[in-house]
Amino acid sequence: MTDEFIPWLTAQVNKLNGLLWNEVLIILLIGTGLFFTLYTGFVQIRMFAPSVREMLGGRHAEKGAQSITPFQAFVTGLASRVGMGNVVGVSIAITSARNPELGLTGAGAVFWMWITALVGMSSAFAESSLAQLFKVRDAETGRFRGGPAYYISQGLKQKWMAVLFSLSLIATFGFVFNALQANVIADAAQLAWGIDKPMMGGLLVLATAPIIFGGIKRVAQIASGLVPFMAALWLLIALYVIITNIGEVPRVFELIVSEALDFRSVGSGFLGGLISIAMMNGVKRGLYSNEAGMGSAPNAAAAADTKHPASQGLIQMLGVFVDTLIICSCSAFIILLADNLDPALKGAQITQAALQQQIGSIAPHLLAVLLFLFAFTTIIGNYAYAESNVQFMRNNPSVVLIFRLLVLGMVFFGAAQELGLVLDLADLSMGIMALINLIAILWLSPYVKLLLTDYRNQLKRGKTPEFKIAEHPGLNRKIKSDIW
């Protein structure tokens, strides 16, 4: 019976994923991004410079602060964003959009990844600003926590939606995606250095345990050290590849744009005639990578100690830009500047082969190290998201302890086993999570506009923006908070 049930269940889950992702979520995610782009007056463009200043100015904690700094919240969110989507996801987007019969290389998917990021930056601003506005202070530690579950339960007064969101996020980011990241690390270590996968799983557990048992503050401290290093290293490698192939760069740019606008190879579904394969794969993989609007990064954003909710929204908005327009672009150019890659290669193998053409035999070892850094920081970033939602469900030390042990168990399981159906189920739960969050932030959009207007008005008066809820009587009556 099991032999029949598993294939049947896999088919049903894939059918639901196809409906949810190809028909509903891509349109809703892009539509929400366009809505907030217009509603905020192109916040991602007009407020880009302030977002950089906020990020650089948020590196130091206030004296006596118990929570993490705005910069630490930024890199914790970036730790989860910057992972396999930046290496494997880019190669999948390009190869999935390839159509040899029409002479398409798949480069057009990169253009739609860029568009997705530019539009999604406004959604990221909205959800992270809301997370700050509705955050709560932990009675025992004095630290802040929040996220979509908190602004759904407080702002919308829909506890059932908040609980469903939390359960979806815990299952996806707390367990399955961490198992996936561990699996990628174990595969890379086995291929590069011959390390046994169960042994690598044990080493990962030993490396992860002291970080997650230190809580969100320890996660933020580790992320603030590792994330800038790995991002800079990948950027330097890409710059080397680009500079040594500088004559080919204009051709690659032209290829990306021309194939992006080639609608001969169309997708299927309700809008199949309007959505090309390149667009579908670029949008989908871009969203997987930068998570804009999906409700994950706001969990880290809420933990920051900041003077104005919009300031953290601007900082997290910048994370989408860094993830997709910088780091994903590095991977894309490394792949597209390579010659005659074997079409049978898949996933990270494509990036490895492309890199080996450019820098020689050191490529497999260097990529294994980078994959370890990308995946390991994603594990601890994912944990930070899930911990906030576990505390929303039940803020009890024993419950948190059990959750941490389960996370470590999934890290070991993921390193030692193949995941199969579990990943399809994770896509489904992540889709449910994103759907709930998108509805919530659209519903709460007036709060987003209020926060941005308040922030801009203070900047115009030459003041350092500081949010005071008492100055907004309508808001003060709805949000009972001692934070603002």
Side-chain angles (χ1 to χ4, degrees):
M1 181 163 179
T2 304
D3 292 341
E4 296 177 0
F5 177 72
I6 295 299
W8 175 85
L9 182 60
T10 301
Q12 299 309 308
V13 169
N14 286 333
K15 188 182 295 183
L16 287 172
N17 276 330
L19 176 65
L20 191 60
W21 282 101
N22 297 342
E23 302 286 2
V24 178
L25 274 178
I26 286 183
I27 296 168
L28 188 56
L29 280 158
I30 293 294
T32 301
L34 287 170
F35 168 78
F36 278 111
T37 295
L38 297 172
Y39 191 61
T40 60
F42 291 84
V43 64
Q44 64 268 59
I45 297 173
R46 294 176 61 186
M47 302 299 288
F48 186 81
S51 74
V52 176
R53 288 197 298 269
E54 289 281 6
M55 185 269 291
L56 295 175
R59 290 174 293 176
H60 306 292
E62 296 286 335
K63 189 174 181 180
Q66 296 296 315
S67 293
I68 64 177
T69 67
F71 178 76
Q72 287 175 329
F74 167 73
V75 292
T76 301
L78 202 57
S80 184
R81 282 190 173 110
V82 177
M84 294 305 98
N86 300 84
V87 179
V88 180
V90 174
S91 62
I92 291 173
I94 292 171
T95 54
S96 298
R98 185 181 294 157
N99 191 327
E101 293 180 4
L102 296 177
L104 301 178
T105 66
V110 178
F111 176 87
W112 293 111
M113 290 182 79
W114 293 341
I115 295 299
T116 300
L118 287 171
V119 170
M121 286 171 72
S122 63
S123 300
F125 167 79
E127 62 184 359
S128 291
S129 297
L130 289 169
Q132 271 286 323
L133 178 63
F134 289 97
K135 69 185 179 182
V136 300
R137 193 191 306 272
D138 190 281
E140 293 184 8
T141 65
R143 295 173 185 169
F144 300 128
R145 51 187 169 85
Y150 296 80
Y151 56 69
I152 291 169
S153 61
Q154 294 179 52
L156 299 182
K157 308 298 182 187
Q158 301 292 330
K159 186 67 179 286
W160 69 271
M161 283 179 64
V163 169
L164 183 57
F165 175 89
S166 288
L167 290 173
S168 299
L169 187 143
I170 291 166
T172 305
F173 285 85
F175 299 137
V176 181
F177 279 8
N178 277 346
L180 171 63
Q181 302 299 326
N183 188 270
V184 171
I185 292 173
D187 278 344
Q190 187 177 54
L191 286 171
W193 307 306
I195 299 176
D196 184 65
K197 291 181 75 172
M199 180 182 292
M200 193 67 218
L203 292 173
L204 275 175
V205 168
L206 291 176
T208 306
I211 299 174
I212 68 173
F213 273 92
I216 182 67
K217 197 157 189 175
R218 178 74 58 79
V219 169
Q221 290 168 345
I222 298 298
S224 64
L226 281 179
V227 171
F229 169 75
M230 70 182 192
L233 181 58
W234 194 231
L235 180 60
L236 287 172
I237 292 169
L239 284 174
Y240 171 79
V241 171
I242 289 169
I243 290 170
T244 54
N245 295 273
I246 194 68
E248 289 295 302
V249 171
R251 178 188 64 81
V252 171
F253 262 116
E254 183 181 352
L255 194 64
I256 289 171
V257 175
S258 62
E259 289 197 11
L261 303 178
D262 190 326
F263 285 81
R264 288 176 297 161
S265 180
V266 296
S268 60
F270 180 64
L271 293 178
L274 298 176
I275 300 177
S276 69
I277 296 295
M279 181 190 293
M280 183 173 67
N281 283 283
V283 169
K284 191 173 182 180
R285 292 301 158 188
L287 293 170
Y288 265 111
S289 178
N290 62 52
E291 302 173 15
M294 290 177 61
S296 47
N299 295 276
D305 188 1
T306 185
K307 292 182 178 180
H308 199 291
S311 67
Q312 195 63 38
L314 292 173
I315 291 172
Q316 295 302 125
M317 178 183 81
L318 190 63
V320 176
F321 180 88
V322 172
D323 172 270
T324 306
L325 281 102
I326 295 180
I327 300 177
C328 284
S329 295
C330 289
S331 300
F333 273 90
I334 288 171
I335 294 167
L336 294 173
L337 285 168
D339 296 320
N340 302 317
L341 291 176
D342 185 348
L345 295 177
K346 296 181 179 180
Q349 295 173 335
I350 297 169
T351 311
Q352 180 177 313
L355 198 59
Q356 195 158 349
Q357 281 190 19
Q358 306 294 341
I359 64 174
S361 58
I362 194 176
H365 304 286
L366 183 58
L367 191 60
V369 171
L370 278 164
L371 285 173
F372 173 84
L373 291 172
F374 280 137
F376 184 68
T377 54
T378 300
I379 288 173
I380 61 175
N382 287 349
Y383 169 79
Y385 294 168
E387 182 193 78
S388 177
N389 284 270
V390 169
Q391 291 173 326
F392 172 79
M393 298 287 291
R394 182 140 185 154
N395 190 20
N396 180 289
S398 298
V399 172
V400 175
L401 173 62
I402 293 169
F403 168 67
R404 288 170 176 169
L405 292 174
L406 287 172
V407 169
L408 293 175
M410 285 300 290
V411 167
F412 182 81
F413 170 80
Q417 303 293 327
E418 297 300 327
L419 300 179
L421 175 62
V422 180
L423 293 180
D424 294 328
L425 289 168
D427 280 346
L428 184 59
S429 64
M430 182 172 63
I432 294 169
M433 181 187 95
L435 186 62
I436 293 171
N437 183 61
L438 290 168
I439 293 170
I441 62 175
L442 286 169
W443 202 339
L444 294 168
S445 57
Y447 293 108
V448 178
K449 188 68 171 287
L450 182 150
L451 292 173
L452 182 59
T453 301
D454 182 80
Y455 183 91
R456 281 176 171 166
N457 287 341
Q458 292 190 54
L459 276 185
K460 288 177 182 176
R461 295 198 299 267
K463 296 174 61 178
T464 299
E466 184 173 356
F467 188 69
K468 297 178 180 178
I469 199 167
E471 296 178 358
H472 305 275
L475 197 59
N476 195 24
R477 287 192 295 269
K478 293 180 179 179
I479 302 175
K480 306 300 179 185
S481 174
D482 65 340
I483 297 170
W484 304 112

